[in-house]
Amino acid sequence: MGETRDGISQQWDPQSSGIAARLQTHRAHGARVYDYILGGKDNYIVDREVGDASLQIWPALRVHMQEGRAFMHRSARYLATEKGIRQFLDIGTGLPTSPNLHETVQAVAPTSRIVYVDNDPIVLAHARALMQGSSEGKISYLDADMRDPERIINSPELAATLDLTQPVALTIISVVHFILDADEAYRVVRQLIDILPSGSWVALTVATDEFAPEVLTGVAKQYADHGEPLVWRTKAEAERFFDGLELEEPGVVQMHKWRRDPAEIANIADQDIAMYGGVAYKP
């Protein structure tokens, strides 16, 4: 079995590792649907069914997802370049699609350190096999659900990789819509923010149906019918995730409009983007 420089397995056996029992291939998973729509191959029939049905209802879904990746890249690059952040905690990693967050920030600063968190075993297995960072930096992978922030906060992976006395960028991209209960969603995000030292940053996106409500009702039904329900939130509800933080300009906006060239923004229809995004500073 091959290994990386950090001793992380390059190959994985889903049977011997216990992954097979946790895959739940009868249910769709957001990360695998995302992978399928973006042209990946790490997905199952049920994920493809959701993806195909959703694309039939809303053909712009692929554009929307591509813009989600673009927001992640812009915000991470901005924090690494403009704010000097060298530590990142990424919640809801998803299946590896290059360039990944560590590739973006380590291209700016090779010493950057990243902890990836996801709760789908196939995501973590592929991440361990495929993601290799710079020799100067460090990457860790944590198998955890963001609904259990204490598991993340108290994990040895976090402690061994990030120095919580120094600023950290918390990135929560395309994931809070899978926490249906509003109180729970705000609670878990707040618990993660609370562990960050002053001088840290948060980049977060929140799904919304405010720009295409009728068609997105159908998309949500497809996800729910295949075991992966999601919830849309208003702009005011999105802004609430940033309570107590100082929003960076231009505030909470549709994610394709966050620090983007106006000419590029003009090429994307608002109704094709179903997510708000924002970046904020923790004083």
Side-chain angles (χ1 to χ4, degrees):
M1 182 175 291
E3 294 188 343
T4 68
R5 60 180 173 78
D6 293 322
I8 297 172
S9 171
Q10 284 285 337
Q11 301 175 15
W12 59 285
D13 180 351
Q15 298 298 330
S16 63
S17 64
I19 287 174
R22 293 181 53 208
L23 283 177
Q24 294 186 313
T25 57
H26 62 288
R27 294 181 54 184
H29 189 282
R32 298 195 305 259
V33 175
Y34 189 91
D35 173 75
Y36 170 65
I37 291 175
L38 291 183
K41 298 180 180 178
D42 297 308
N43 47 73
Y44 296 97
I45 291 174
V46 66
D47 306 307
R48 296 190 284 274
E49 288 175 347
V50 175
D52 288 337
S54 298
L55 283 167
Q56 186 172 3
I57 295 168
W58 190 40
L61 180 56
R62 183 171 285 112
V63 172
H64 164 81
M65 289 185 171
Q66 290 169 339
E67 287 303 311
R69 294 285 300 177
F71 173 84
M72 182 271 285
H73 293 144
R74 284 198 311 280
S75 59
R77 188 180 300 110
Y78 174 77
L79 293 175
T81 303
E82 302 296 328
K83 303 303 178 182
I85 300 299
R86 300 293 179 261
Q87 303 188 106
F88 291 78
L89 174 58
D90 183 53
I91 308 295
T93 299
L95 284 153
T97 303
S98 187
N100 295 286
L101 185 146
H102 73 275
E103 293 172 302
T104 297
V105 300
Q106 288 184 343
V108 175
T111 58
S112 298
R113 303 165 74 86
I114 299 94
V115 174
Y116 285 116
V117 181
D118 208 292
N119 70 331
D120 185 335
I122 196 172
V123 169
L124 272 298
H126 278 274
R128 291 186 176 111
L130 300 176
M131 290 185 183
Q132 297 184 56
S134 67
S135 58
E136 301 97 322
K138 184 172 182 179
I139 303 173
S140 294
Y141 312 91
L142 174 58
D143 183 0
D145 192 317
M146 77 170 294
R147 296 176 183 84
D148 184 9
E150 292 185 2
R151 160 85 175 99
I152 300 170
I153 293 166
N154 297 319
S155 70
E157 292 90 345
L158 184 70
T161 307
L162 304 183
D163 177 1
L164 293 182
T165 68
Q166 298 298 315
V168 175
L170 171 65
T171 57
I172 308 177
I173 310 298
S174 301
V175 65
V176 294
H177 50 281
F178 293 121
I179 304 179
L180 305 187
D181 182 80
D183 289 340
E184 181 182 20
Y186 293 125
R187 175 184 61 80
V188 298
V189 170
R190 178 52 50 186
Q191 282 187 253
L192 291 168
I193 292 173
D194 284 348
I195 71 165
L196 305 179
S198 175
S200 293
W201 291 80
V202 178
L204 183 143
T205 62
V206 181
T208 184
D209 65 348
E210 292 191 309
F211 299 91
E214 293 184 9
V215 68
L216 291 174
T217 296
V219 172
K221 185 177 186 303
Q222 284 299 323
Y223 272 74
D225 287 348
H226 289 82
E228 187 74 304
L230 56 84
V231 63
W232 309 114
R233 294 187 166 98
T234 65
K235 184 176 183 181
E237 290 169 329
E239 290 173 335
R240 185 179 164 191
F241 283 102
F242 297 96
D243 283 355
L245 306 177
E246 298 176 1
L247 278 163
E248 193 77 346
E249 290 295 332
V252 175
V253 295
Q254 278 185 289
M255 60 185 180
H256 68 297
K257 297 179 180 179
W258 194 86
R259 291 187 172 267
R260 186 72 167 273
D261 186 314
E264 294 178 347
I265 294 173
N267 291 327
I268 302 171
D270 285 357
Q271 61 266 29
D272 290 347
I273 304 299
M275 199 163 281
Y276 288 113
V279 174
Y281 174 77
K282 181 177 179 180

